[in-house]
C-alpha cells in the first residue's frame, strides 16, 4: 500500500517487509531542521521549527532531509540511515551497534561513535568536509568512503595506539585510501578518500606512507605529500609520533 499524504498523525509502524521512512519537512520549499532519536520502539523525529513530533518503529530504511539534522542512536538499532544533503551531526552512544549502513549527503557532516560503538555496514560520506570520530574501541565493520571534500578520520579519544597505512592516492575524490584496524577489520582499502588523520592523545601512533617518492613536512600543520601524482595528493596529520616512509621514500 502506498500512502501519498496524511495529516495529524503522531505515530507510524512499519510492516513485515523492507519499509522506508522519509523525514523531509519543508516550509515553502525550504528544508527544516530536525532531531532524530533512534531508540527502539521509543524512536522519535522532531521537526524543530514547530516542534511537531512523529513516533515510529519497524522501518529498515530511514532518510532525513536537506536541513540541519541531529541524529542520536541511543540503543542497538537495525536500519540503513541516510541523512540527505543538509549538515548533519550523528552520534552513536557508547556500546551501541547500528546494524546497517550510514550514508550522508553533500553537507559538512559529523559522525561520532562513542566508546565501543559499532556500525556493521559501509559508511559513505558525501561531497562535504566530513569528520568521523571513533572513540575508544569503536569500529566501522564495513568500508569508510570519504568521497569528495576534505574528510577527517579522528582517533583522538582512542586509548590504544593506532596504526594508519596509506596505500593509494584516490584519483577520483582526492585524499588517500588505506588501512587501519578499527575500519573494515584493517583490510586493505578499508578507508577511501580520507584527507586528514588525527591520532590518539595518549598512545604512540604510527602513520605509514605509500611506497612512492613522498615528502613529510613537520610544521604548524603537518603534511604528507605523495609526489607520484600530478597534482600531488596530500594529507594533514596530527598526534602521530612514529612516521614511516614507504619502500620508495
Amino acid at each position: 500500500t502506498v500512502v501519498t499524504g496524511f495529516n495529524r498523525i503522531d505515530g507510524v509502524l512499519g510492516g513485515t517487509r523492507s519499509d522506508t521512512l522519509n523525514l523531509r519537512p519543508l516550509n515553502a520549499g525550504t528544508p527544516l531542521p530536525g532531531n532524530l532519536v533512534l531508540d527502539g520502539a521509543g524512536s522519535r523525529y522532531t521537526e524543530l521549527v514547530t516542534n511537531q513530533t512523529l513516533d515510529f518503529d519497524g522501518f529498515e530504511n530511514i532518510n532525513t532531509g536537506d536541513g540541519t539534522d541531529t541524529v542520536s542512536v541511543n540503543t542497538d538499532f537495525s536500519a540503513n540511515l541516510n541523512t540527505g544533503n543538509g549538515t548533519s551531526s550523528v552520534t552513536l552512544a557508547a556500546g551501541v551497534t547500528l546494524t546497517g549502513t550510514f550514508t550522508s549527503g553533500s553537507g559538512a557532516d559529523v559522525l561520532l561513535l562513542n566508546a565501543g560503538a559499532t556500525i556493521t555496514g559501509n559508511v559513505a560520506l558525501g561531497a562535504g568536509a566530513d569528520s568521523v570520530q571513533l572513540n575508544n574501541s569503536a569500529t566501522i565493520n564495513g568500508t569508510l568512503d570519504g568521497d569528495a571534500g576534505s574528510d577527517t578520520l579522528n582517533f583522538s579519544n582512542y586509548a590504544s595506539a593506532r596504526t594508519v597505512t596509506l596505500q593509494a592516492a584516490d584519483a577520483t575524490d582526492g585524499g588517500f585510501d588505506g588501512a587501519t584496524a578499527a575500519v573494515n577489520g584493517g583490510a586493505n582499502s578499508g578507508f577511501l578518500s580520507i584527507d586528514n588523520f588525527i591520532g590518539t592523545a595518549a598512545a604512540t601512533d604510527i602513520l605509514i606512507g605509500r611506497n612512492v617518492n613522498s615528502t613529510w613536512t613537520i610544521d604548524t600543520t603537518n603534511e604528507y605529500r605523495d609526489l607520484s601524482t600530478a597534482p600531488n595528493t596530500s594529507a594533514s596529520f596530527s598526534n602521530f609520533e612514529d612516521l614511516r616512509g614507504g619502500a620508495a621514500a
Side-chain angles (χ1 to χ4, degrees), residues 10 32 49 77 79 101 117 129 135 137 140 144 163 190 220:
D10 301 298
L32 298 177
V49 173
F77 201 88
T101 61
N135 287 353
S137 301
I140 295 170
L144 167 61
T163 296
T220 304

Side-chain angles (χ1 to χ4, degrees), residues 6 9-15 19-24 34-47 52-64 70-75 77-81 98:
F6 56 82
I9 299 297
D10 301 298
V12 289
L13 182 64
D19 301 303
T20 299
L21 179 62
N22 293 320
L23 302 166
R24 296 169 174 167
N35 179 52
L36 173 63
V37 177
L38 301 181
D39 199 358
S43 297
R44 170 174 287 188
Y45 177 77
T46 304
E47 182 265 289
Q52 294 179 337
T53 62
L54 179 71
D55 296 326
F56 62 91
D57 191 21
F59 287 87
E60 290 74 25
N61 304 285
I62 300 173
N63 304 320
T64 64
T70 301
V71 181
S72 300
V73 186
N74 291 341
T75 60
F77 201 88
S78 296
N80 298 315
L81 177 62
L98 176 63

Side-chain angles (χ1 to χ4, degrees), residues 35-177:
N35 179 52
L36 173 63
V37 177
L38 301 181
D39 199 358
S43 297
R44 170 174 287 188
Y45 177 77
T46 304
E47 182 265 289
L48 295 177
V49 173
T50 63
N51 289 319
Q52 294 179 337
T53 62
L54 179 71
D55 296 326
F56 62 91
D57 191 21
F59 287 87
E60 290 74 25
N61 304 285
I62 300 173
N63 304 320
T64 64
D66 295 338
T68 300
D69 295 308
T70 301
V71 181
S72 300
V73 186
N74 291 341
T75 60
D76 291 347
F77 201 88
S78 296
N80 298 315
L81 177 62
N82 181 347
T83 57
N85 289 320
T87 299
S88 300
S89 177
V90 179
T91 301
L92 273 66
V96 162
T97 296
L98 176 63
T99 302
T101 61
F102 171 68
T103 304
S104 68
S106 59
D109 303 301
V110 176
L111 174 62
L112 169 62
L113 278 67
N114 279 299
T118 298
I119 295 177
T120 64
N122 296 333
V123 172
L125 306 175
D130 305 305
S131 175
V132 175
Q133 179 170 332
L134 302 181
N135 287 353
N136 192 36
S137 301
T139 58
I140 295 170
N141 292 349
T143 58
L144 167 61
D145 188 350
D147 204 345
S150 181
D151 304 303
T152 300
L153 179 56
N154 184 348
F155 290 113
S156 60
N157 285 329
Y158 236 83
S160 58
R162 300 291 89 196
T163 296
V164 174
T165 303
L166 307 181
Q167 297 173 320
D170 195 298
T172 302
D173 297 314
F176 288 92
D177 306 343

